[in-house]
Amino acid sequence: MPADPRGFLKFARKDPERRPITLRLGDWKEVYTKPDPAEGIIQAQRCMDCGIPFCHQGCPLGNLIPEWNELVGRDRWASASERLHATNNFPEFTGRLCPAPCETACVLALNRDAVTIEYVEKSISETAFTHGWVQPVVPKESTGRAVAIVGSGPSGLAAAQQLARSGHRVTVFERADRIGGLLRYGIPEFKMEKAVLDRRLAQLSQEGVEFRTSVTIGDDIDLESLAEDFDATVLALGSTRPRTIDVPGSDAADILPAMEFLPHANRALYEPEFAPPVTAAGRRVV
């Protein structure tokens, strides 16, 4: 089915639908409904296939946005998934969490509503998982080299996947008790359900990536030991230190930094008895 070259003139932008409030009040699941492939085809056809696609410049990953929009518009989802994964290891993450600077850069946004690029991206990734197109990529040969990755956030996981697919033996070290870094303990469930993360971690494990949790480099293992046991080390560190802001009341007793509160809220998903944080004034935080 050919994409409609006049789609941007025929179709209006349609943002993803939110789940009914009555349902959202009863759980912590994602706010938006699952993508509709039929609507994804329509939204993808709004892409004008610009001569100079500024969405490339707006995307930090350099995603090939017009290419996979064209493929989705032609109902070629498997090919669209291949093009999307060519520049993005985890489109199911960015399709939910990215602030979509590509849409701000969209040429159509000059005088109309921008293409729903993020929605199409999420639609591609979810369709690919639904049809089983996202499979482990196991290298045919091993290089015999070992790489340590410190930190299991999105950058550490992406590095782990690329290195493992190149044939290296990869070990990811994480100081928390579960893998994922910010994706696990910094992103609320309503933004991205942890099942989405676990689904991708299963693929990395099948590709040969080894995960070691509750290991603090510098305490449990020193850097000298890493240098002896591994041929290279990737430092993919995050930061849990809050950045203070100079506004009145920011130093009040009842103010908690986000990264002090969010891990508590996320841990409660696994440990219902986990107590919420308590402020200096002894108040519990909702």
Side-chain angles (χ1 to χ4, degrees):
M1 180 182 70
D4 190 340
R6 298 174 60 83
F8 68 96
L9 297 173
K10 293 181 178 180
F11 307 123
R13 176 187 173 104
K14 184 178 180 181
D15 291 308
E17 295 183 2
R18 289 177 167 85
R19 295 168 58 225
I21 294 177
T22 53
L23 292 180
R24 285 152 48 194
L25 288 174
D27 58 43
W28 294 104
K29 296 184 181 298
E30 293 180 10
V31 170
Y32 296 102
T33 60
K34 295 182 179 180
D36 177 8
E39 185 60 39
I41 292 175
I42 293 175
Q43 294 301 312
Q45 292 188 47
R46 296 187 67 242
C47 177
M48 298 190 297
D49 192 19
C50 305
I52 302 178
F54 289 101
C55 53
H56 282 188
Q57 186 176 12
C59 176
L61 297 176
N63 280 340
L64 306 173
I65 297 168
E67 294 186 26
W68 41 259
N69 271 332
E70 173 72 14
L71 291 167
V72 170
R74 294 176 179 271
D75 198 19
R76 295 175 57 187
W77 291 91
S79 297
S81 178
E82 292 179 2
R83 298 310 292 151
L84 180 54
H85 279 90
T87 55
N88 189 346
N89 287 77
F90 313 125
E92 70 276 19
F93 300 165
T94 54
R96 289 170 165 84
L97 305 175
C98 181
C102 55
E103 294 187 15
T104 303
C106 176
V107 175
L108 187 59
L110 290 173
N111 57 8
R112 296 174 182 267
D113 292 329
V115 176
T116 54
I117 298 172
E118 189 172 36
Y119 177 78
V120 176
E121 178 181 14
K122 181 180 178 182
S123 299
I124 295 172
S125 60
E126 291 307 305
T127 300
F129 273 104
T130 298
H131 287 82
W133 299 329
V134 182
Q135 295 293 325
V137 179
V138 180
K140 296 180 179 179
E141 298 180 359
S142 171
T143 63
R145 297 182 179 274
V147 181
I149 296 180
V150 183
S152 68
S155 58
L157 294 178
Q161 185 169 68
Q162 292 299 108
L163 290 166
R165 290 178 174 181
S166 297
H168 304 307
R169 178 170 60 84
V170 178
T171 303
V172 177
F173 295 92
E174 169 58 51
R175 66 179 178 180
D177 60 338
R178 287 181 172 85
I179 293 294
L182 181 70
L183 297 168
R184 175 76 64 186
Y185 287 133
I187 302 298
E189 185 83 348
F190 71 87
K191 290 286 291 182
M192 187 181 80
E193 296 174 19
K194 300 303 177 286
V196 175
L197 170 61
D198 293 334
R199 180 177 63 185
R200 183 63 80 165
L201 291 178
Q203 182 199 33
L204 267 69
S205 294
Q206 293 170 347
E207 291 178 347
V209 177
E210 178 186 355
F211 296 114
R212 294 185 58 184
T213 58
S214 302
V215 177
T216 300
I217 303 301
D219 292 337
D220 302 308
I221 300 177
D222 56 40
L223 291 176
E224 289 75 14
S225 297
L226 281 183
E228 293 176 0
D229 297 338
F230 295 91
D231 297 289
T233 300
V234 177
L235 299 180
L237 308 177
S239 175
T240 57
R241 294 182 180 180
R243 182 176 61 183
T244 58
I245 55 176
D246 186 18
V247 296
S250 62
D251 57 349
D254 289 345
I255 299 297
L256 285 180
M259 285 309 296
E260 185 176 332
F261 170 74
L262 287 172
H264 286 74
N266 281 301
R267 286 181 69 92
L269 295 169
Y270 310 103
E271 308 164 43
E273 73 282 359
F274 198 83
V278 179
T279 67
R283 295 187 176 95
R284 299 176 69 191
V285 180
V286 177

